[in-house]
């Protein structure tokens, strides 16, 4: 058919026509992706105007492979990007920008229409992960990190990043992410590092960054502070230790019993607290207690309403150096803070003889010796809520440590107002409450990490001066030295703070740091983020901004809220207008995927078995904010859907006229389906399918625009659209293509081409590869599908045709069901009398050829009338819809004599089974002695058997009534 087109496709070696391939070849996906990239379809064109569409994407770990969670966010973000790329009025000339950037830990995108993608984020969150992985690699070589020094270790991490970062990039490409990879960014690039330093300096100048010693979450293995958000709590079996604290100056019976899950922290006790209303201990308030195993160290016994007298023994040991709540209580009461632990999780000299022991070893030894001294009361099983590091999995230790903090109150207040004013919309809406609660109760942000890889804190100390009192904040070493000389003289010596910044500090700047903030690329920055600051009269002044950030719902505070706060602080505007929160991927049983459960599904393995399109479409089934259970059944179903689409394309191509038949193609191109007058002239099936398509386009477009991504495949919009094309209409079109003349065939060809091409566009964001392959096979294509125009909305429709064709469908369905019920052979043609009022008969009879084809009727023996036929009593009566009936002569459907014999035998067998069940239910010994569920099961089987007997008996009676006896026939 399309000889020249297909020849061109074959020559480039990228695409394969459905005419020559039985099914879509998954291996073509990589070829198609490289072709898109080589043609420049991912790159932006900033020379033309347009409304920017931005998506900022969360990044996956650079550990060598993606997991299904990464596949989900890449899929959802790319769906929105491809849609908005096609929505561009200038198509390929629209604003588009994809800036992939690679992080030590994560890859993220920010997409501007066409698409601006930034890949990266979270350098130091990566640093902790990188350190674990690289240290493991070094251990295999017999090398310790401390022995090689910071500089050499950093080189090793960079080497590791280059290897695995590229692997991740290639895997994201394999998922079809349409990013402009020429703009790839890495969080430690020079320009991005300048942005991080600039942000720190500006916040410090405003008094929002300070240094102090506070309680933090400490990772003894990584030896760094970690964010509250990076601590995961799990319910684990543990023990509750009951210990005697003797009252100083009292008798042997004067003691308080405390219950604790961490007895090793008692060396850091600075008080014992009881509730002032607890009569059991009121006599001891104001006295001193002796801390066990400390050679008689005394601590005060105090009262405070904070103590729950009904929990445990009602006595609380206050260890402010090792418990968040104790720390806050100690600060309120003015108690001293005592630290008993080293940074590596061993006890320090405050623990006396236990100094140097690991915290868990010390716990065992301490309890043993408490038992020997009679100070141990009891040890009981207890379920503990254990804090573990999200990175290394080890138990986190609360420690007081000197760190750098950001004051969050003013930043959080402005981020709250952004949602209140409607400047930021969170989808689904219910997460706004969580967002508001977190920002309303926010604590100061600990931004320093004790790692070797990441953005160094831009603070320099003076040699010989105390760090807490004398330090300099500067943008680089030269500026710091100049400031130091001005204050301390030219001979001053300085050294930089060894710590690095929290990963989320650099991540929070990502929407604008990757666009050139605070220097360079100002045009891009203004176009996509800061357009409201342009001078009046600038062509982009009135540009509309729709910026989208997609993320897992559990990362709302890790990244989203911080980007909002920093965006407002440094650019004066919210960095995105919408936040779309998707759920997590779970296995078919609803369990979280983990290696321990053995239920992890590798996206790349899935792609090999099912194809990228099937995986993307399946992942998009998840509802916003809700988790998705992934199963092979769902993947299999979507793969079958891909094959159905392919076969639909094969049918369309096989039934188009040859490319050389210019008159036929002129006739096809003369049809204007976007004009109401032309639509009304179409025959019923064609008018129906075009109307349904136009309705589908509006519904799908609305779902995209409102970010109702799950509405598309989840509510079967696209599925139903394809079914109406590939299913019913393709079958209906055969009456035109195979049985009609040239003009009749022409309208079917034009409709097939129009509807199928439109469906490919609607499906492209979800299933980019198979749709592009099919699109390339269609004749007269002027551009690639990826940059083709999105179908127009509000196109004409003829709703009356929908109702009429649905009547025809109902009639066809009823006849098909009757054929199946009576086991009529598929090839056998049967007679039919269609009964309806004059109006219905008029449009149904016009589609007689379609009805005959779809219902497999005898064309010469199909009649239409307003009253039942004379042989109605010997026909199967069908009610298709209100006012539309059909009568099918029973003699055409079945051999009545043979069918009566078959039904008689079947009825006898069914009756025997029913009688047997009823006999059991009539037996008192069975009903009274058998288990209730067994008796209930027998009753249900008996009811089902009775219904079958009744139906079979009625059908047999019907056949008998239509049979003429010999004397009657005479």
């Amino acid at each position: 058919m399309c000889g020249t087109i297909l020849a061109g496709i074959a020559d480039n070696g990228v695409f394969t026509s459905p005419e020559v391939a039985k099914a879509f070849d998954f291996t073509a996906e990589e070829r198609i992706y490289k072709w898109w990239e080589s043609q420049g379809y991912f790159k932006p064109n900033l020379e033309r105007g347009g409304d920017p569409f931005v998506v900022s994407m969360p990044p996956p770990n650079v550990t060598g492979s993606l997991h299904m969670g990464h596949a989900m966010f890449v899929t959802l973000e790319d769906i929105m990007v491809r849609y908005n790329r096609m929505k561009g009025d200038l198509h390929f000339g629209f604003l588009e920008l994809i800036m992939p950037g690679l992080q030590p830990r994560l890859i993220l995108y920010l997409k501007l229409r066409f698409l601006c993608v930034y890949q990266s984020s979270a350098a130091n969150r990566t640093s902790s992960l990188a350190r674990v992985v690289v240290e493991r690699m070094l251990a295999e070589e017999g090398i310790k990190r401390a022995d090689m020094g910071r500089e050499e270790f950093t080189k090793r991490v960079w080497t590791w990043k280059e290897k695995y970062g590229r692997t991740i990039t290639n895997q994201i490409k394999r998922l079809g992410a349409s990013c402009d990879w020429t703009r790839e960014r890495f969080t430690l690039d020079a320009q991005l590092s300048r942005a991080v330093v600039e942000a720190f300096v500006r916040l410090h100048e405003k008094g929002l960054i300070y240094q102090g010693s506070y309680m933090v979450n400490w990772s003894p293995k990584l030896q760094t502070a970690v964010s509250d958000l990076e601590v995961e709590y799990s319910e684990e079996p543990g023990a509750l230790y009951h210990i005697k604290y003797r009252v100083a100056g009292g008798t042997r019976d004067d003691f308080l019993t405390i219950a604790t899950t961490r007895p090793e922290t008692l060396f850091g006790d600075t008080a014992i607290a009881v509730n002032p209303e607890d009569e059991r201990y009121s006599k001891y308030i104001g006295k001193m207690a002796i801390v066990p195993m400390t050679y008689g160290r005394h601590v005060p016994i105090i009262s405070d309403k904070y103590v729950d007298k009904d929990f445990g023994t009602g006595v609380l040991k206050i260890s402010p150096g090792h418990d968040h709540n104790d720390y806050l209580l100690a600060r309120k009461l003015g108690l001293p803070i005592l630290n008993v632990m080293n940074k590596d999780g061993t006890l320090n000299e405050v623990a006396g003889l236990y100094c140097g022991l690991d915290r868990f070893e010390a716990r065992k030894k301490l309890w043993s010796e408490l038992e020997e001294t009679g100070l141990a009361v009891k040890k009981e099983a207890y379920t503990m809520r254990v804090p573990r590091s999200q990175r290394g999995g080890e138990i986190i230790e609360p420690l007081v440590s000197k760190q750098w903090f950001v004051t969050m109150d003013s930043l959080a207040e402005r981020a709250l107002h952004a949602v209140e004013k409607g400047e930021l919309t969170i989808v689904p809406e219910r997460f706004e409450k969580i967002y508001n609660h977190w920002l309303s109760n926010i604590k100061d942000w600990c931004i320093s990490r004790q790692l070797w890889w990441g953005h160094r804190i831009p603070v320099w100390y003076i040699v010989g001066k105390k760090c807490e009192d004398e330090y300099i904040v500067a943008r680089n070493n030269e500026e710091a030295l100049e400031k130091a000389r001005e204050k301390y003289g030219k001979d001053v010596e300085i050294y930089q703070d060894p710590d690095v910044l929290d990963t989320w500090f650099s991540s929070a700047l990502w929407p604008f740091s990757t666009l050139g903030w605070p220097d360079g690329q100002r045009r891009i920055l203004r176009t996509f983020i800061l357009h409201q600051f342009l001078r009046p009269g600038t062509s982009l002044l009135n540009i509309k901004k729709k910026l989208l950030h997609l993320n897992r719902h559990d990362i709302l505070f890790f990244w989203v809220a911080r980007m909002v706060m920093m965006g407002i602080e440094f650019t004066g505007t919210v960095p995105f207008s919408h936040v779309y929160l998707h759920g997590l991927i779970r296995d078919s049983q609803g369990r979280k995927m983990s290696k321990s459960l053995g239920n992890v599904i590798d996206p790349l393995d899935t792609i090999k078995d099912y194809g990228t399109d099937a995986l993307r479409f399946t992942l998009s089934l998840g509802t916003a904010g809700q988790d998705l259970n992934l199963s092979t059944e769902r993947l299999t179903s979507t793969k079958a859907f891909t094959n159905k689409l392919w076969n639909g394309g094969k049918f369309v191509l096989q039934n188009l006229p040859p490319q050389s038949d210019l008159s036929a193609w002129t006739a096809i191109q003369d049809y204007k389906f976007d004009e109401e007058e032309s639509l009304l002239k179409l025959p019923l099936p064609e008018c129906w399918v075009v109307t349904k398509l136009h309705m589908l386009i509006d519904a799908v477009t609305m779902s995209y625009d409102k970010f109702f991504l799950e509405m598309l495949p989840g509510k079967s919009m696209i599925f139903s659209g394809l079914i109406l094309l590939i299913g019913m209409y393709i079958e209906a079109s055969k009456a035109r293509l195979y049985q009609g003349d040239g003009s009749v065939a022409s309208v079917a060809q034009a409709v097939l081409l129009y509807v199928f091409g439109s469906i490919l566009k609607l499906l492209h964001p979800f299933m980019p590869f198979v749709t592009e392959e099919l699109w390339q096979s269609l004749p007269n294509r002027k551009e690639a599908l990826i940059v083709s125009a999105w179908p127009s909305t509000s196109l004409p429709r003829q709703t009356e045709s929908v109702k009429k064709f649905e009547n025809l469908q109902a009639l066809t369905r009823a006849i098909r069901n009757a054929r199946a019920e009576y086991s009529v052979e598929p090839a056998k043609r049967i007679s039919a009398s269609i009964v309806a009022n004059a109006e219905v008969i008029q449009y149904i009879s016009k589609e007689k050829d379609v009805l005959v084809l779809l219902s497999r009727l005898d064309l010469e023996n199909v009649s239409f009338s307003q009253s039942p036929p004379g042989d109605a009593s010997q026909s199967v009566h069908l009610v298709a819809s209100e006012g539309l009936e059909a009568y099918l002569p029973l003699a055409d459907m079945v051999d009545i004599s043979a069918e009566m014999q078959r039904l008689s035998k079947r009825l006898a067998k069914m009756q025997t089974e029913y009688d047997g069940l009823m006999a059991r239910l009539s037996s008192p010994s069975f009903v009274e002695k058998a288990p209730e569920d067994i008796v209930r099961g027998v009753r249900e089987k008996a009811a089902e058997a009775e219904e079958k007997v009744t139906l079979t008996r009625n059908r047999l009676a019907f056949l008998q009534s239509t049979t003429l006896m010999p004397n009657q026939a005479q």
Side-chain angles (χ1 to χ4, degrees):
M1 45 125 312
C2 317
T4 56
I5 296 293
L6 294 179
I9 293 173
D11 289 344
N12 66 32
V14 177
F15 300 99
T16 303
S17 170
E19 285 193 316
V20 297
K22 183 178 180 180
F24 178 58
D25 182 6
F26 302 150
T27 61
E29 293 174 344
E30 292 184 81
R31 296 199 305 272
I32 294 171
Y33 189 93
K34 291 177 181 177
W35 180 75
W36 282 329
E37 195 170 12
S38 69
Q39 299 300 308
Y41 294 143
F42 300 161
K43 296 180 181 179
N45 187 335
L46 301 180
E47 298 305 318
R48 303 184 185 183
D51 298 346
F53 180 85
V54 184
V55 178
S56 53
M57 296 187 174
N61 300 336
V62 184
T63 55
S65 62
L66 298 176
H67 58 61
M68 277 298 175
H70 305 139
M72 171 174 263
F73 79 68
V74 170
T75 294
L76 294 178
E77 289 150 356
D78 195 55
I79 285 172
M80 291 307 303
V81 166
R82 287 179 182 271
Y83 164 69
N84 280 277
R85 179 186 288 118
M86 296 173 74
K87 279 293 291 289
D89 296 336
L90 300 176
H91 311 316
F92 182 55
F94 219 124
L95 291 175
E96 55 159 323
L97 179 60
I98 307 178
M99 298 177 63
L102 189 56
Q103 281 282 34
R105 153 107 170 84
L106 308 171
I107 294 181
L108 106 95
Y109 305 80
L110 178 67
K111 303 182 178 176
L112 304 179
R113 180 148 128 185
F114 275 128
L115 175 61
C116 175
V117 174
Y118 313 130
Q119 271 182 292
S120 196
S121 175
N124 306 320
R125 189 160 172 242
T126 300
S127 294
S128 60
L129 180 63
R131 173 175 166 178
V132 171
V133 176
V134 175
E135 283 190 358
R136 189 181 302 129
M137 294 167 56
L138 293 174
E140 294 175 357
E141 302 176 25
I143 303 174
K144 293 182 178 180
R145 176 178 64 90
D147 296 337
M148 65 190 315
R150 181 170 190 153
E151 183 176 351
E152 182 60 30
F153 179 77
T154 301
K155 289 181 180 179
R156 288 292 192 108
V157 179
W158 273 101
T159 301
W160 173 81
K161 169 262 170 187
E162 291 298 329
K163 176 181 179 181
Y164 289 106
R166 188 54 50 194
T167 299
I168 289 290
T169 297
N170 291 334
Q171 290 174 345
I172 291 178
K173 289 182 176 182
R174 191 66 186 87
L175 288 165
S178 49
C179 310
D180 181 359
W181 299 103
T182 64
R183 297 176 179 272
E184 187 168 2
R185 295 292 181 267
F186 178 55
T187 191
L188 294 178
D189 287 348
Q191 187 271 319
L192 299 181
S193 295
R194 285 197 301 275
V196 171
V197 170
E198 184 67 25
F200 185 98
V201 171
R202 292 190 187 185
L203 290 173
H204 186 270
E205 288 174 348
K206 291 184 67 174
L208 296 178
I209 285 183
Y210 64 94
Q211 187 181 42
S213 294
Y214 293 95
M215 176 71 68
V216 297
N217 301 302
W218 186 261
S219 171
K221 184 176 182 180
L222 299 176
Q223 293 195 36
T224 180
V226 297
S227 167
D228 289 346
L229 302 173
E230 294 177 81
V231 178
E232 295 181 339
Y233 291 86
S234 60
E235 300 291 328
E236 300 179 20
L240 195 60
Y241 301 85
H242 293 254
I243 304 171
K244 289 181 181 180
Y245 278 59
R246 299 194 184 279
V247 177
T251 66
R252 294 182 61 85
D253 295 329
D254 290 319
F255 62 85
L256 300 172
T257 300
I258 62 95
T260 179
T261 59
R262 302 163 64 215
E264 69 277 6
T265 62
L266 62 79
F267 299 107
D269 290 353
T270 57
I272 298 295
V274 298
N275 191 291
E277 298 177 359
D278 195 334
E279 296 179 356
R280 293 173 297 174
Y281 308 117
S282 58
K283 62 181 179 180
Y284 297 128
I285 296 173
K287 296 185 177 182
M288 303 293 285
I290 304 172
V291 180
M293 312 305 292
T294 60
Y295 302 102
R297 186 167 67 86
H298 290 27
V299 295
I301 302 173
I302 62 176
S303 64
D304 195 278
K305 292 183 178 180
Y306 169 80
V307 181
D308 184 355
K309 62 181 181 180
D310 297 321
F311 177 78
T313 62
V315 183
L316 176 70
K317 60 185 288 294
I318 301 177
S319 309
H322 300 278
D323 183 90
H324 288 283
N325 293 324
D326 290 3
Y327 177 77
L328 296 175
L329 184 60
R331 294 189 65 181
K332 182 185 77 171
L333 300 176
L335 296 173
I337 296 174
L338 192 60
N339 176 33
V340 303
M341 200 165 295
N342 298 312
K343 296 295 180 65
D344 62 357
T346 60
L347 301 193
N348 61 25
E349 63 278 359
V350 176
L353 295 177
Y354 297 87
C355 177
L357 289 178
D358 174 78
R359 51 184 169 161
F360 301 118
E361 293 177 3
R363 181 180 301 176
K364 294 178 181 178
K365 181 179 180 182
L366 176 61
W367 181 249
S368 176
E369 295 185 357
L370 285 170
E371 289 180 316
E372 292 177 4
T373 58
L375 295 176
V377 178
K378 64 178 179 178
K379 174 184 174 182
E380 59 184 1
Y382 184 74
T383 300
M384 302 169 57
R385 190 167 178 264
V386 179
R388 290 190 177 274
S389 168
Q390 192 182 66
R391 299 276 61 81
E394 66 169 328
I395 296 178
I396 290 297
E397 189 66 39
L399 282 181
V400 175
S401 176
K402 186 179 71 173
Q403 303 287 343
W404 289 93
F405 295 84
V406 177
T407 302
M408 301 301 290
D409 290 342
S410 60
L411 298 174
E413 183 178 4
R414 294 162 73 185
L416 281 167
H417 290 164
V419 173
E420 292 173 2
K421 296 176 182 178
E423 297 171 357
L424 175 64
T425 300
I426 299 176
V427 181
E429 185 179 357
R430 69 178 184 277
F431 283 99
E432 285 188 9
K433 293 182 179 179
I434 301 174
Y435 174 90
N436 292 338
H437 176 78
W438 186 75
L439 287 178
S440 299
N441 296 277
I442 197 169
K443 296 189 295 185
D444 286 355
W445 178 12
C446 176
I447 58 172
S448 51
R449 298 291 182 265
Q450 291 64 50
L451 300 171
W452 279 3
W453 198 45
H455 294 102
R456 288 282 292 274
I457 291 178
V459 170
W460 283 260
Y461 301 110
I462 313 301
V463 175
K465 301 287 185 179
K466 288 185 178 181
C467 298
E468 293 82 357
D469 302 327
E470 305 288 345
Y471 65 82
I472 293 171
V473 176
R475 291 170 176 81
N476 51 55
N477 190 75
E478 290 73 19
E479 181 181 323
L481 185 59
E482 183 179 348
K483 288 183 176 181
R485 285 172 175 172
E486 290 178 0
K487 186 174 183 179
Y488 300 102
K490 64 178 181 178
D491 295 328
V492 67
E493 294 183 26
I494 62 175
Y495 62 96
Q496 189 173 359
D497 193 311
D499 290 352
V500 297
L501 287 163
D502 175 21
T503 179
W504 301 109
F505 190 88
S506 58
S507 301
L509 312 177
W510 204 253
F512 48 93
S513 65
T514 47
L515 289 174
W517 185 90
D519 54 22
Q521 300 185 26
R522 294 297 297 175
R523 181 181 176 194
I524 297 177
L525 179 61
R526 289 178 177 180
T527 299
F528 296 112
I529 301 294
L530 307 178
H531 61 270
Q532 65 270 42
F533 298 140
L534 296 178
R535 296 187 305 275
T538 304
S539 61
L540 296 179
L541 178 63
N542 298 318
I543 197 170
K544 295 179 181 179
K545 179 178 63 172
K546 178 177 284 188
L547 304 102
L548 174 66
H549 178 76
L550 292 91
N551 236 320
R552 299 195 321 261
H553 58 71
D554 61 340
I555 205 171
L556 178 60
F557 313 118
F558 273 116
W559 194 25
V560 177
R562 285 168 175 169
M563 282 193 289
V564 173
M565 288 186 280
M566 292 302 185
I568 295 173
E569 172 66 22
F570 294 115
T571 71
T573 185
V574 180
F576 30 75
S577 57
H578 292 76
V579 174
Y580 179 93
L581 299 170
H582 62 76
L584 308 178
I585 296 292
R586 299 184 180 276
D587 68 10
S588 58
Q589 301 177 41
R591 300 175 301 175
K592 189 174 182 179
M593 290 186 181
S594 68
K595 292 181 179 179
S596 60
L597 292 175
N599 61 349
V600 174
I601 302 176
D602 190 310
L604 298 186
D605 290 341
T606 305
I607 288 173
K608 291 177 183 177
D609 295 334
Y610 300 95
T612 303
D613 289 324
L615 175 61
R616 285 171 61 113
F617 201 89
T618 303
L619 291 176
S620 65
L621 294 170
T623 302
Q626 298 295 325
D627 297 347
L628 171 69
N629 294 353
L630 185 64
S631 66
T632 55
E633 289 77 15
R634 278 182 162 172
L635 290 165
T636 301
S637 175
T638 311
K639 181 180 179 182
F641 177 62
T642 305
N643 292 334
K644 191 170 187 178
L645 179 66
W646 185 263
N647 290 332
K650 185 187 296 286
F651 177 86
V652 172
L653 292 172
Q654 289 173 344
N655 288 280
L656 292 176
Q659 195 77 356
S660 58
D661 191 343
L662 299 181
S663 61
W665 279 104
T666 299
I668 289 175
Q669 292 167 355
D670 283 343
Y671 286 100
K672 306 299 181 185
F673 300 112
D674 57 350
E675 297 177 0
E676 186 171 5
E677 183 179 355
S678 298
L679 180 64
L680 295 175
K681 293 179 181 179
L682 292 176
L684 179 59
E686 284 69 29
C687 187
W688 164 77
V689 75
V690 172
T691 295
K692 290 289 286 186
L693 172 67
H694 292 171
M695 296 168 66
L696 177 67
I697 290 171
D698 286 357
V700 170
T701 302
M702 181 277 292
S703 292
Y704 276 119
D705 288 340
K706 293 185 178 295
F707 308 119
F708 295 160
L709 302 186
E710 73 282 357
M711 288 287 289
L712 298 167
K715 298 301 181 183
S716 300
M717 285 186 181
I718 293 181
F719 268 120
S720 63
L722 279 165
I723 288 171
L724 72 87
L725 168 69
I726 301 174
M728 182 59 74
Y729 182 68
I730 279 184
E731 291 300 314
S733 69
K734 293 176 182 177
R736 320 276 194 225
L737 299 170
Y738 301 161
Q739 301 171 11
D741 56 26
S743 62
V744 173
S746 178
V747 66
Q749 291 167 337
V751 168
L752 281 171
L753 194 58
Y754 172 69
V755 176
F756 190 72
S758 299
I759 288 291
L760 291 181
K761 291 184 177 184
L762 297 181
L763 261 180
H764 178 74
F766 287 88
M767 309 176 81
F769 295 105
V770 67
T771 53
E772 185 73 75
E773 181 111 321
L774 288 166
W775 178 266
Q776 293 293 333
S777 297
L778 299 179
N780 302 319
R781 53 180 173 81
K782 298 179 180 179
E783 57 198 352
L785 179 59
I786 187 176
V787 290
S788 65
W790 186 257
S792 300
T793 55
S794 301
L795 292 171
R797 61 197 65 184
Q798 219 292 314
T799 54
E800 188 64 26
S801 70
V802 174
K803 181 179 179 181
K804 291 178 179 179
F805 192 79
E806 286 176 351
N807 270 344
L808 180 60
Q809 282 182 296
L811 180 59
T812 301
R813 191 181 307 114
I815 296 174
R816 284 183 167 185
N817 290 341
R819 290 179 63 105
E821 183 181 354
Y822 283 89
S823 302
V824 180
E825 294 180 2
K828 185 176 182 180
R829 299 288 173 169
I830 62 175
S831 304
S833 296
I834 311 302
V835 179
N837 60 42
E839 180 185 358
V840 175
I841 289 295
Q842 182 181 16
Y843 66 78
I844 292 290
S845 61
K846 282 185 179 180
E847 301 304 330
K848 179 179 179 180
D849 289 346
V850 174
L851 176 63
V852 165
L853 179 67
L854 298 181
S855 304
R856 295 187 292 279
L857 300 178
D858 182 355
L859 181 63
E860 302 301 325
N861 289 291
V862 177
S863 63
F864 299 89
S865 65
Q866 298 183 43
S867 58
D871 60 351
S873 61
Q874 298 182 19
S875 300
V876 177
H877 179 210
L878 306 176
V879 178
S881 60
E882 186 177 355
L884 179 58
E885 304 173 23
Y887 291 86
L888 309 180
L890 191 58
D892 279 10
M893 305 270 287
V894 66
D895 182 332
I896 297 177
S897 178
E899 181 68 3
M900 288 176 60
Q901 291 180 14
R902 187 184 72 83
L903 288 178
S904 295
K905 292 180 181 179
R906 183 181 178 187
L907 179 59
K909 182 179 179 181
M910 295 169 69
Q911 186 68 50
T912 300
E913 292 177 356
Y914 173 70
D915 291 342
L917 292 169
M918 291 305 297
R920 294 182 69 186
L921 293 174
S922 300
S923 172
S925 60
F926 172 73
V927 175
E928 295 173 1
K929 295 181 180 180
E932 183 178 347
D933 58 332
I934 299 295
V935 176
R936 183 171 59 253
V938 172
R939 285 199 175 102
E940 291 174 355
K941 289 181 180 179
E944 182 180 351
E946 183 181 21
E947 182 179 358
K948 291 180 179 179
V949 167
T950 302
L951 291 174
T952 304
R953 184 179 289 122
N954 291 341
R955 186 170 175 184
L956 183 59
F958 171 68
L959 292 175
Q960 289 171 341
S961 68
T962 62
T963 304
L964 295 177
M965 300 299 292
N967 58 348
Q968 291 177 309
Q970 294 174 359

